[in-house]
Amino acid sequence: MDYMTIIMLVVMLVVFYFMLIRPENKRKKEEAKMRSELAVGDEITTIGGVKGTICAVKETTVVIETGADRVRIEFTKDAIGSKAAAAAAESK
């Protein structure tokens, strides 16, 4: 009976790892890759919902232009939520 309990605990830990921990690590890795590949001209959306086009990329920050009034705002790379390539935005 003791072996069965230990086996069930091990199985639960393995399931927990593959259902929760591994997908989260994969998502974090993809976000880090996306942030490291930011380039001038990419259209981005910040985690706060600000949309704009990157006009300068620095070591830890990016400068974006928002809208037709060409307001420039500087954000840390960690504040970038998603990006769409400039070519995809031009085809709209």
Side-chain angles (χ1 to χ4, degrees):
M1 200 58 123
D2 290 330
Y3 292 116
M4 194 62 158
T5 304
I6 293 173
I7 291 172
M8 289 302 292
L9 283 173
V10 169
V11 168
M12 286 176 49
L13 288 173
V14 168
V15 169
F16 183 75
Y17 174 77
F18 281 105
M19 297 296 286
L20 297 174
I21 297 171
R22 190 166 182 246
E24 181 68 20
N25 289 341
K26 186 176 180 182
R27 185 186 60 80
K28 285 181 182 179
K29 184 188 278 187
E30 289 172 355
E31 286 179 355
K33 181 181 178 202
M34 180 267 303
R35 289 180 178 133
S36 69
E37 293 175 348
L38 292 173
V40 174
D42 288 345
E43 291 209 3
I44 57 126
T45 303
T46 67
I47 57 176
V50 178
K51 294 182 178 184
T53 305
I54 296 176
C55 60
V57 178
K58 301 177 183 175
E59 187 174 327
T60 59
T61 62
V62 294
V63 178
I64 67 168
E65 285 185 352
T66 60
D69 54 0
R70 300 178 53 99
V71 174
R72 290 186 178 197
I73 307 171
E74 186 170 0
F75 290 99
T76 62
K77 286 186 177 181
D78 292 333
I80 307 302
S82 63
K83 85 170 184 177
E90 289 175 6
S91 65
K92 288 184 180 179

